[in-house]
Amino acid sequence: MKDFILLLPEIFLGLTLAGIIAGEIGYYGEKVRLITATALAGLAGAFVQSWAIYRHGDALVWGQDLSVDALSLFFKMFFILLAGLTIVASIFTKEVDSNKRAEFCALVVASTLAMGLAACSADMLLGFLVLQFMNVVSYCLAAYGKRSSLSTEAAMKHLVLGSASSALFLFGLALLFAHTRTLNIYEMHHVLQSNPIPVQTGLVIFILMFSAFCYQFGAFPMHLASPDVLEGSPTVVSSFLSLGSRVAGFAMALRFFVVVFAKPVLEGGATDPSSAQQWTAIGGFQWQQIVALASGATMLVGALLALRQSGAKRLISYLVMAESGFLLMGLLVLDQSGVAALLYSLLIQLFALVGAFSVVGFLLDEIESDRLSDLHAALSRSIPECISLILFLVCLVGLPPFPGFIGKFVLIGSVIHRGWYLLAAAGVITMAISTAAVARLAFSLVRNFKDAGQFQWPRWEPRRVYLMALLLPLLLIGFFAEPLLAWTAHSARFILW
Amino acid sequence: MAGHLISLMIALPFFGAILQALLPPVGGKNSSGSVTRWAALLSSLAASLCGIVLVGSMRQQVPDFQVSETFAWIGSYAISYDVAIDGLNALLVLLISIVFPLLIAAESNRKSGLRGIQALLLVLQASLMGAVCAQDLFLIFFFWTLSSLPIFFMIGIWGGEGREKAAIQTMITSAIGNAFLFAALILIYYSIDPHTFSLRELAGGKLAGKTFQILESEFSVSNVAFAFFGIGLAFRIPIWPIHGWFTQVAREAPPSAFVALGAVTVPVGMYIFVRTTYTLFPETVAQMAHTVAMIGAVNLVMGGICAVAQRGLTMLLAFVCLGEVGALLIGIGSLSSAGVVGSIFQALVLGLGVAGFGLFAGIISDRTGKTVFKDEDGKVAIGGIASQAPMIAVVAGVMIASLLGIPGFGGFVGRSLLMIGSFSVHPVVVLFGGLAFLLATYYLFGMYRTVFFGKAVSEKSSDFMDLTAWEKAYLVPLVVSLVLLGLYPKFLIELVRPTALTLLSTIK
């Protein structure tokens, strides 16, 4: 019975999904609003339940296959919030037809269910399956703009590379299983401790699995399709995918790499492994170096390519890629402050990216183009939207006085603390380059401000309220960095070695 | 209580800026309304009043912080909100307090986008004030980088023909500069245990002897961080040869933005350099002082030579600025009390002089519609203003006299202190400095002769209007303060000297 209570958020999401589908099939009245409301209510319910369980404590449920701990609940709440914001954003855009919104809600809720499970799965096969579930749903979401060839192309690329990455994942998992004879990550950890894996095998397994995860992060060697996917999908979907599937990847990777390929460092005679503040790599090779390489390359490639883009959506997609590089820093330092900084940065990205993409979606609706050269004088047509776009983006890239900077500072700091000076230098350079990229975008909005005349885009107060509702927490995250960092540090706990 | 005044001084302009977005467009003839106009001016003035009261109530002969306010901000990373005033930054507080209300007053007759430019100026005032008062490296960095944004928007939106290029160039250079500063910041933070950003805790050679490793080779923290600080700030204040963006700004920016940059941001940048490097790396400063003075000399000479060739008022001002930055660096690099005190005093006087110059240049180009006073073949484009507008001529005369260091004006005191202090240490550099000043007399008076005395060029300049009452109201404070500083500098110098001596005593 306790297992069911701890899994209430998932069960609730599943019921909501069933309700949406049943409503879509069986009810012919005014179903659009009803279904949107159902979806939002279901998400809100699941959020409240997750919060209640977060306060309750950690546990392994269902034969140790799912780990309901602070970390997975943090991610669960993150995904639920993201899904809610996405569904609300879909009301404001013309890209999602209002008579198709029921399907959209169903897909988003299904994806959220999968992402939530990915965050808590402690069994690799289950993890693989939910990851596939999530990816299949996201192929459908990417193809949602059926009339647009870009959208179809995005979905196709996503599908092809996604299948390739899942093959890599499975192959790595098979090798790991052959050695450890178990699929549970905590058991794998114990087996690897008592019976170390040969270095070469370990290296191959690590590289295969890490490449598969890199596809989820949109990180360096596997980044090729991700900007295309984000550019081609309808804008609401871009914001959902840029956070959802990427962060789900991080949620799984954190648990998987830290549990399987690392062990806790116990200081001062402490005996409780779950109280460890930092971890050290096992398996006979320093896999952090591979991650560091990917991290540095991802950041620099992402930022440099962002600088060269001529489309707003694609520019933001490359900025997202650079951000993945920063997040990898939090993974490779293997200590609690790094993970806490990663989670903190994720919170900032949640609001910043959803906001930025929703303004870009608004611009796309109004001028049917996101070329930087077509955006001229947008600022004078609609000041609040454009100013908030600029603010969202500077928060994202961590321009110093804005909240994103504190996240970047802690990430870079924790990397320096471990002596990765070159990586830190790459991070600082990336910040400068991405600022320049954002300046280009900001600039094309500001340009021709004086000669735009009196022509104004239609005002719509609910959208402005929505943007304010995103901007306000974003700025507050900066002011209340201290309690939030404490909260994320508290969430960065893993249990049961 | 006094501590709250500092915070008030930083917070009031921010509130003013927010008010610009919220207040309804009521009253007045133009679309922004006179309510917002007065709200901007009053919030800036109120902040300035706090600043002037603070500086005026300071005791002389006290080297320590006289007023401060502190509380923890991000405690787990030892980041605190720590603002304080001592002799070193009091003059900069005064400079910001005097210049910004005048800039806002000067902009308040703008037809379009008044709210925007006022809000940006207010944000700039707050951030520069914060950067000057902050005693925590993180906080200094926070405010200093924030100050680069308003300039970008002011150029990009209200600039001249080539505003796009100028704005983007400014943004990129300041992003690079900020990246260097950030690198220095992290390096310092992690090289000391327990980690801290507080200047008070880092003072006293705590960083001496610390090293770090990259690829098997060892570097000294204080040397690398000093270099990063120097380079990072050089991207934000014009240092030859990375001054290209600055002259672009001079050509394209609206006058108030350029004044905010040249008259306030530049002195503040110099101050941050002195405050951080003297406090954090006394040993490195002792070794590198010669280099700093040399860079200063190169700047002074290059600024002078380039200024001779200029035909535009703001371009001339830009190179004057470049040269003066060189003079300040010579004083800073001398490591003598007279040199350092002279530099700090000169930073204030320079700021006031540049502000005055920029404002009257703005008025002239506004009335004549021209930005150059000689066209490409050397023919006079603006001339003979003195007979039609004697008040402008007088104001311009005072500004130029102060920039040149003619006795009786503030510039004289600062410049002579600076040169006297440096002569014993770098005689050759000072000699070059003297030559550069002779050159300055030539080009500044050459400009003055052409623009004010020469023949009036066209019918348009024959109906050149003299200063209006509003313009007088915001130019007179500048003239008065420059004269006062020239006649009775003792109060301010006695404020600076004890603090400068204490700082210097840690270096030797």
Side-chain angles (χ1 to χ4, degrees), chain A residues 372-394:
Chain A
L372 293 187
S373 51
D374 295 335
L375 292 179
H376 291 178
L379 180 67
S380 58
R381 307 239 157 93
S382 184
I383 292 179
E385 276 85 359
C386 293
I387 294 280
S388 27
L389 175 59
I390 295 173
L391 282 176
F392 285 131
L393 287 180
V394 293

Side-chain angles (χ1 to χ4, degrees), chain B residues 43-92:
Chain B
S43 54
S44 175
L45 271 176
S48 297
L49 196 68
C50 298
I52 292 170
V53 166
L54 273 173
V55 176
S57 64
M58 282 173 75
R59 283 158 291 139
Q60 297 181 1
Q61 308 293 358
V62 181
D64 302 327
F65 292 110
Q66 304 205 12
V67 188
S68 67
E69 180 162 31
T70 312
F71 56 84
W73 177 21
I74 306 175
S76 45
Y77 290 90
I79 297 170
S80 57
Y81 174 85
D82 182 357
V83 287
I85 294 185
D86 65 355
L88 206 58
N89 56 13
L91 299 201
L92 274 304

Side-chain angles (χ1 to χ4, degrees), chain A residues 89-173:
Chain A
S90 75
I91 299 173
F92 298 120
T93 174
K94 292 176 195 156
E95 282 176 289
V96 176
D97 230 351
S98 64
N99 56 9
K100 294 274 189 296
R101 199 176 304 136
E103 293 159 21
F104 183 79
C105 290
L107 288 173
V108 168
V109 172
S111 193
T112 312
L113 177 60
M115 293 187 291
L117 282 170
C120 63
S121 80
D123 181 284
M124 285 319 288
L125 198 60
L126 178 67
F128 173 75
L129 289 175
V130 287
L131 216 55
Q132 285 313 302
F133 178 24
M134 182 188 80
N135 280 347
V136 168
V137 175
S138 63
Y139 307 144
C140 300
L141 278 172
Y144 206 75
K146 268 180 269 182
R147 303 269 165 78
S148 143
S149 57
L150 272 180
S151 177
T152 318
E153 183 194 333
M156 204 59 213
K157 281 186 176 165
H158 198 18
L159 173 68
V160 172
L161 266 140
S163 319
S165 89
S166 59
L168 293 178
F169 190 95
L170 265 191
F171 195 47
L173 181 60

Side-chain angles (χ1 to χ4, degrees), chain B residues 12-24 36 39-40 43 115 119 122:
Chain B
L12 274 174
F14 268 128
F15 287 124
I18 295 170
L19 280 184
Q20 293 299 304
L22 300 180
L23 282 179
T36 49
S43 54
R115 280 165 185 251
L122 285 168

Side-chain angles (χ1 to χ4, degrees), chain B residues 6 36 59 69 72 101 121 128 137 145 207 210 215 255 259 264 273 308 318 321-322 335 348 385 403 459 475 478:
Chain B
I6 305 185
T36 49
R59 283 158 291 139
E69 180 162 31
L121 279 171
L128 287 174
L137 278 177
T145 43
L207 293 167
K210 304 264 186 207
L215 301 178
V259 168
V264 189
F273 181 71
V308 174
C321 243
L322 185 71
L335 298 186
L348 167 64
I385 291 177
L403 282 177
E459 315 79 66
L475 282 172
L478 281 179

Side-chain angles (χ1 to χ4, degrees), chain B residues 112-383:
Chain B
S112 67
L114 178 63
R115 280 165 185 251
I117 204 159
Q118 280 177 338
L120 290 174
L121 279 171
L122 285 168
V123 171
L124 194 60
Q125 176 178 7
S127 55
L128 287 174
M129 196 61 104
V132 164
C133 295
Q135 300 303 328
D136 180 281
L137 278 177
F138 193 92
L139 205 62
I140 294 181
F141 181 67
F142 179 98
F143 283 121
W144 177 242
T145 43
L146 182 61
S147 73
S148 67
L149 283 184
I151 302 253
F152 167 73
F153 283 109
M154 277 195 272
I155 301 168
I157 299 180
W158 292 278
E161 288 296 305
R163 56 179 178 271
E164 280 134 37
K165 196 173 161 222
I168 212 91
Q169 225 173 357
T170 316
M171 195 62 200
I172 290 174
T173 39
S174 54
I176 298 172
N178 293 341
F180 272 106
L181 281 185
F182 179 47
L185 219 67
I186 296 187
L187 199 58
I188 293 168
Y189 179 75
Y190 279 100
S191 64
I192 194 156
D193 219 13
H195 306 322
T196 179
F197 280 116
S198 164
L199 277 180
R200 304 176 203 231
E201 283 169 35
L202 287 165
K206 290 267 174 57
L207 293 167
K210 304 264 186 207
T211 55
F212 67 101
Q213 278 191 328
I214 292 184
L215 301 178
E216 316 283 304
S217 40
E218 201 152 310
F219 297 92
S220 150
V221 169
S222 40
N223 289 352
V224 174
F226 176 83
F228 280 0
F229 258 107
I231 298 170
L233 289 168
F235 275 97
R236 293 287 306 277
I237 54 180
I239 298 286
W240 190 87
I242 19 179
H243 64 281
W245 65 274
F246 189 69
T247 49
Q248 284 277 349
V249 173
R251 193 178 293 132
E252 307 299 345
S256 57
F258 182 64
V259 168
L261 185 69
V264 189
T265 314
V266 170
V268 170
M270 300 295 286
Y271 155 79
I272 292 179
F273 181 71
V274 176
R275 166 73 79 191
T276 51
T277 54
Y278 276 37
T279 317
L280 297 176
F281 336 106
E283 287 174 353
T284 315
V285 170
Q287 290 164 13
M288 296 298 288
H290 286 286
T291 320
V292 172
M294 289 303 153
I295 293 173
V298 172
N299 245 20
L300 189 54
V301 173
M302 290 310 293
I305 293 174
C306 297
V308 174
Q310 297 311 316
R311 295 176 289 107
L313 283 172
T314 47
M315 285 299 277
L316 181 66
L317 181 59
F319 283 104
V320 170
C321 243
L322 185 71
E324 290 293 328
V325 165
L328 296 186
L329 281 178
I330 294 176
I332 291 170
S334 72
L335 298 186
S336 68
S337 72
V340 176
V341 173
S343 282
I344 303 286
F345 191 79
Q346 181 68 5
L348 167 64
V349 174
L350 168 72
L352 296 177
V354 170
F357 195 130
L359 288 176
F360 85 71
I363 293 175
I364 289 179
S365 64
D366 204 35
R367 305 239 162 111
T368 58
K370 291 174 193 159
T371 51
V372 291
F373 56 89
K374 270 185 189 164
D375 55 20
E376 274 166 29
D377 354 306
K379 261 174 60 186
V380 176
I382 306 175

